[in-house]
């Protein structure tokens, strides 16, 4: 019995690690420090910031260096997020958490390339991060 | 069994009629309804009317006579009569239920000819020449959860059997939304079906009905609805206030925008009327200002807008309202608009009146009182049109003479929340 449980636990651990590895691989080109939004007040003073206001990303095309972290800050009560279609930041799609007013979301871009994004409930809101 | 009350005889016959109705329905056949009889049974209808009988009562009498004469009952699967301009389809989104139904109705007699089943918020389409009807639908492996599958289903107009089932790929899923009549469309040659995708980005799916296969997804600007003007050109209404012309001939996608034709304050409703045969697009605002465009493969002719309601009426809180609020009768060039007195932000509540207008001049021809809380309207495209008024609340289709506004007949028990009325424009 004990050995069976151990085997099951090992199998479960293996499966979990495989799932985690797949997830990490899928989002290899970016890293998200925390999936939950943070307060805008916590954004570092020298951060690279894209503000969201009046149903727009205020810097629709932003150029950064590989390894840079970009913060999106929602300035209005209408909730917004940052999302990537399938194949942009990994094999699958990526959907950032919704930001309420004065909430921020940070993404670190690890690889050079063009990263087009959009707001999930407002697909007409689009932006691009160019990583050099 | 207790003695029947004095007035029970008609009730007894109604019950018998209802029983027969259920049997007939189970065979996939026409459902008996109250109201005027079909044209081919005009004599019998006249006799029935003289007797004060409903169709169900007459069917019951006929069945009793057949039984008395020793005629055997031979159940068969019936075909619907060939489609004509007075056939009307009633789609019931059923308040966002996972499965839905559509009723195929003969407007001339007020009888249900048949039904089709659909998945979640299916979008119905009808070939103008009556050769087929179709739907774009969505189902899940466990009713309302599990793996999602979008597909196009084409039905034979008479047997109602599916004659095509075309899968839509997972990365080209359609827009799930309260059914808007022109969010999906057939091209005028009936060879292509176009459907809209909202997320992750605005796109239009192309389904090749001839080859019975999904073709491709067209990237389009931030625009909505689909109004085909040729086999390879359609128009959309864009957030910026313009129309987009999309040409997808030869595997390419070429998009151009027209001038901006309305302001941000002029809110165009979700239910414009459009004639695939003439290319006329009729688009009211929340206040009843009517924009009209003639769409051709080459471009758009914007007609001068006009007001459906007078200044005095607008000052007295008259506004359009409902679901499918607009109808256009192509042969007479007339516009029909659902209106009533209402608060500005009650634009989806039912209306009790229809304004009839000359589309060429904007002149009011009539204001019809419907006598019911009506959510959706449409008209048959024959010379003496029927006006269809659908009540989602009472789940009843009311059928009027479009010229006089007189209610001729009605069909009830149409699902749980019927909303969309669709016809065939079978004229030249």
């Amino acid at each position: 019995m004990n050995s069976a449980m151990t085997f099951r636990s090992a199998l479960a651990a293996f499966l979990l690690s495989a799932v985690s590895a797949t997830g990490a691989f899928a989002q290899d080109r970016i890293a998200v420090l925390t999936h939950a939004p943070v307060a805008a007040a916590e954004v570092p003073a020298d951060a690279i910031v894209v503000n969201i206001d009046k149903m727009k990303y205020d810097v629709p095309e932003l150029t950064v260096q590989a390894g840079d972290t970009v913060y999106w800050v929602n300035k209005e009560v209408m909730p917004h997020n940052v999302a990537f279609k399938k194949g942009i930041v990994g094999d699958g799609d990526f959907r950032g958490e919704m930001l309420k007013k004065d909430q921020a979301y940070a993404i670190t871009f690890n690889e050079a390339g063009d990263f087009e994004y959009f707001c999930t409930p407002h697909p007409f809101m689009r932006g691009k991060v160019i990583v050099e | 069994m207790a003695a029947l009350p004095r007035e029970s005889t008609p009730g007894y016959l109604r019950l018998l009629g209802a029983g027969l109705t259920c049997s007939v329905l189970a065979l996939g056949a026409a459902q008996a309804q109250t109201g005027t009889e079909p044209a081919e049974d005009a004599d019998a209808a006249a006799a029935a009317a003289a007797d004060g009988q409903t169709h169900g009562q007459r069917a019951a009498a006929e069945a009793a006579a057949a039984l008395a004469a020793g005629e055997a009952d031979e159940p068969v699967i019936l075909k619907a009569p060939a489609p004509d301009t007075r056939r009307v389809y009633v789609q019931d989104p059923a308040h966002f239920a996972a499965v839905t139904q559509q009723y195929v109705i003969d407007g001339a007699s007020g009888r249900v000819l048949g039904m089709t089943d659909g998945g979640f918020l299916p979008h119905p389409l009808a070939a103008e020449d009556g050769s087929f009807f179709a739907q774009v639908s969505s189902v899940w492996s466990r009713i309302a959860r599990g793996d999602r599958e979008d597909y196009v289903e084409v039905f034979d107009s008479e047997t109602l059997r599916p004659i095509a089932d075309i899968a839509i790929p997972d990365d080209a899923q359609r827009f799930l939304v309260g059914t808007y009549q022109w969010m999906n469309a057939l091209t005028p040659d009936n060879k292509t079906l176009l459907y809209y995708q909202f997320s992750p980005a605005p796109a239009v799916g192309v389904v090749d009905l001839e080859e019975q296969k999904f073709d491709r997804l067209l990237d389009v600007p931030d625009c909505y609805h689909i109004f085909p003007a040729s086999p390879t050109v359609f128009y959309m209404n864009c957030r910026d206030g313009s129309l987009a012309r999309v040409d997808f001939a030869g595997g390419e996608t070429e998009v151009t925008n027209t001038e901006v034709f309305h302001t941000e304050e002029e809110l165009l409703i979700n239910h414009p009327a459009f004639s695939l045969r003439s290319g006329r697009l009729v688009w009211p605002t929340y206040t009843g200002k009517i924009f009209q465009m003639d769409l051709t493969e080459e471009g758009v002719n914007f007609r001068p807008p006009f007001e459906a309601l007078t200044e005095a009426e607008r000052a007295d809180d008259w506004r359009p309202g409902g679901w499918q609020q607009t109808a256009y009768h192509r042969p007479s060039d007339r516009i029909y608009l659902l209106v009533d007195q209402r608060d500005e932000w009650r634009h989806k509540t039912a209306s009790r009146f229809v304004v009839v207008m000359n589309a060429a001049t904007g002149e009011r021809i009539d204001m019809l009182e419907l006598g019911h809380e009506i959510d959706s309207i449409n008209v048959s495209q024959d010379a003496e049109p029927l006006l269809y008024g659908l009540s989602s609340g009472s789940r009843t289709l009311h059928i009027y003479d479009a010229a006089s506004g007189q209610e001729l007949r009605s069909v009830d028990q149409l699902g749980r929340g019927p909303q969309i009325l669709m016809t065939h424009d079978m004229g030249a």
Side-chain angles (χ1 to χ4, degrees), chain A residues 55 85-86 95 118-126, chain B residues 170-171 198-202 219-222 224 239:
Chain A
M55 309 294 280
K85 281 204 241 180
K86 198 156 68 173
R95 180 183 296 192
F118 64 97
C119 174
T120 301
H122 310 114
F124 53 89
M125 293 175 59
R126 301 180 199 191
Chain B
D170 288 349
D171 57 359
F198 176 76
S199 183
D219 283 333
V220 295
D222 180 22
Y224 306 83
R239 185 173 298 273

Side-chain angles (χ1 to χ4, degrees), chain B residues 280 290 292 303-308 332-335 356-365:
Chain B
R280 178 73 61 81
I290 308 282
Q292 285 188 93
R303 291 171 173 255
F306 62 84
E307 298 286 350
S332 65
D333 198 23
R334 288 185 177 186
I335 296 169
V356 188
M357 293 156 278
N358 180 327
T361 63
E363 177 194 4
R364 178 176 301 184
I365 295 167

Side-chain angles (χ1 to χ4, degrees), chain A:
Chain A
M1 187 62 135
N2 277 342
S3 62
M5 284 302 289
T6 307
F7 175 74
R8 276 187 211 156
S9 303
L11 180 63
F14 171 76
L15 288 173
L16 277 174
S17 65
V19 167
S20 305
T22 308
F25 178 74
Q27 290 160 23
D28 225 358
R29 307 182 74 190
I30 61 169
V32 179
L33 293 180
T34 165
H35 282 282
V38 297
E42 293 176 27
V43 177
D46 59 347
I48 302 167
V49 173
V50 175
N51 286 312
I52 309 173
D53 201 5
K54 296 183 171 55
M55 309 294 280
K56 285 188 175 78
Y57 300 105
D58 76 341
V59 188
E61 196 168 302
L62 175 73
T63 302
V64 300
Q65 302 301 310
D68 281 349
T69 298
V70 179
Y71 288 79
W72 280 266
V73 179
N74 189 6
K75 310 293 278 187
E76 64 181 353
V77 291
M78 178 74 78
H80 298 294
N81 76 339
V82 175
F84 299 90
K85 281 204 241 180
K86 198 156 68 173
I88 302 287
V89 298
D91 293 341
D93 56 0
F94 177 84
R95 180 183 296 192
E97 293 295 307
M98 299 301 298
L99 307 179
K100 294 178 183 172
K101 189 174 196 269
D102 294 327
Q103 286 188 329
Y105 193 79
I107 296 175
T108 303
F109 290 85
N110 297 324
E111 290 182 18
D114 289 357
F115 297 84
E116 292 184 347
Y117 63 89
F118 64 97
C119 174
T120 301
H122 310 114
F124 53 89
M125 293 175 59
R126 301 180 199 191
K128 187 184 347 185
V129 175
I130 301 165
V131 182
E132 295 178 335

